[in-house]
Amino acid sequence: MYKSTEELTPHQLYNIFIGSVVPRPIAWVSSVNSQGQPNLAPFSFFMVASANPPVVCFCPALKAVEKDGQKVVVPKDTLRNIQETKEFVVNIVSLPLAEKMNESSGNFAPEVDEFQKAQLTAEPSRLVSPPRVGEALVSFECKLRQVISFGSHEGAGNLVLGDVVGFHLAEDVWHHNHIDRSVLQPIGRLSGNDYCKIENIFQMNRPEV
């Protein structure tokens, strides 16, 4: 079976991506608006873009909301905040924090503080204004490098590239210059309501050329 992108609906395209590009790491992004109001939300279109210089990226999509009886397309609070302040923090989601991460994923009004909603500690960052999740074992402080927009319609992605200016690492997760996955216990995003744990790890040696 072959499907061209032109014959697929946006919903079908989305389902193909989230069902086949798995598991996806989760960027639990904390940000603040220009008035200092904090926001916390998870995004699974997330990856490292460069190690030297250290750059991470994630991709929040535009959403449609009802306003004065009409549907309008607006950026999510996280994207709007980052565009205003040029700063954000990426927190890594460990298994014990899964429920709190899920709690923060609700479509709350901009004035709602997801840190309070999920009963999380908003720990001050060192070099950026948004707080980090105090319970997270790994957090990246980031300054905005660039936003690449893929459109102004509902569902259009916005690739946010951030320069990592500092790392917060729990003492027991950083061993011999490596992250101890058994301590971090990161979870991955699948499709629908499904998530996964890192289990049944196998190794393969790279071929010598």
Side-chain angles (χ1 to χ4, degrees), residues 11 18 20 24-25 52 54 57 74 119 121 123 154 181 190 207:
H11 184 66
I18 66 169
S20 56
R24 298 184 305 281
N52 185 22
C57 61
V74 298
Q119 298 182 323
T121 305
E123 195 73 28
E154 181 182 2
R181 284 194 309 269
L190 301 175

Side-chain angles (χ1 to χ4, degrees), residues 61-65 72-77 107-108 153-156:
L62 300 181
K63 64 179 180 179
V65 298
V72 295
V73 178
V74 298
K76 293 184 177 180
D77 296 338
N107 190 24
F108 300 110
H153 53 279
E154 181 182 2

Side-chain angles (χ1 to χ4, degrees), residues 77-116:
D77 296 338
T78 299
L79 177 59
R80 187 186 64 249
N81 290 350
I82 293 172
Q83 289 174 322
E84 288 181 4
T85 67
K86 316 301 183 188
E87 297 177 337
F88 60 98
V89 178
V90 173
N91 306 278
I92 302 302
V93 183
S94 296
L95 182 60
L97 295 173
E99 289 293 340
K100 291 183 179 294
M101 177 276 299
N102 190 51
E103 178 70 20
S104 73
S105 70
N107 190 24
F108 300 110
E111 62 271 15
V112 173
D113 185 343
E114 287 85 359
F115 281 93
Q116 294 182 1

Side-chain angles (χ1 to χ4, degrees), residues 1 39 51 84 112 176 204 206:
M1 179 175 60
N39 179 270
E84 288 181 4
V112 173
H176 306 294
M204 293 189 292
R206 288 188 179 183

Side-chain angles (χ1 to χ4, degrees), residues 10-158:
H11 184 66
Q12 289 172 322
L13 288 167
Y14 179 74
N15 283 345
I16 289 174
F17 280 136
I18 66 169
S20 56
V21 184
V22 291
R24 298 184 305 281
I26 302 168
W28 203 7
V29 181
S30 46
S31 62
V32 295
N33 64 17
S34 55
Q35 287 75 47
Q37 170 69 36
N39 179 270
L40 180 65
F43 298 88
S44 68
F45 286 19
F46 163 53
M47 186 50 61
V48 175
S50 171
N52 185 22
V55 180
V56 294
C57 61
F58 74 102
C59 198
L62 300 181
K63 64 179 180 179
V65 298
E66 288 289 333
K67 188 174 182 180
D68 299 327
Q70 292 185 328
K71 186 173 78 170
V72 295
V73 178
V74 298
K76 293 184 177 180
D77 296 338
T78 299
L79 177 59
R80 187 186 64 249
N81 290 350
I82 293 172
Q83 289 174 322
E84 288 181 4
T85 67
K86 316 301 183 188
E87 297 177 337
F88 60 98
V89 178
V90 173
N91 306 278
I92 302 302
V93 183
S94 296
L95 182 60
L97 295 173
E99 289 293 340
K100 291 183 179 294
M101 177 276 299
N102 190 51
E103 178 70 20
S104 73
S105 70
N107 190 24
F108 300 110
E111 62 271 15
V112 173
D113 185 343
E114 287 85 359
F115 281 93
Q116 294 182 1
K117 196 74 176 176
Q119 298 182 323
L120 291 161
T121 305
E123 195 73 28
S125 298
R126 294 286 187 91
L127 300 176
V128 299
S129 54
R132 62 187 176 90
V133 175
E135 292 80 2
L137 301 181
V138 174
S139 298
F140 310 148
E141 293 188 14
C142 303
K143 290 185 180 291
L144 178 64
R145 170 179 283 256
Q146 185 180 5
V147 176
I148 301 174
S149 173
F150 299 115
S152 58
H153 53 279
E154 181 182 2
N158 293 268

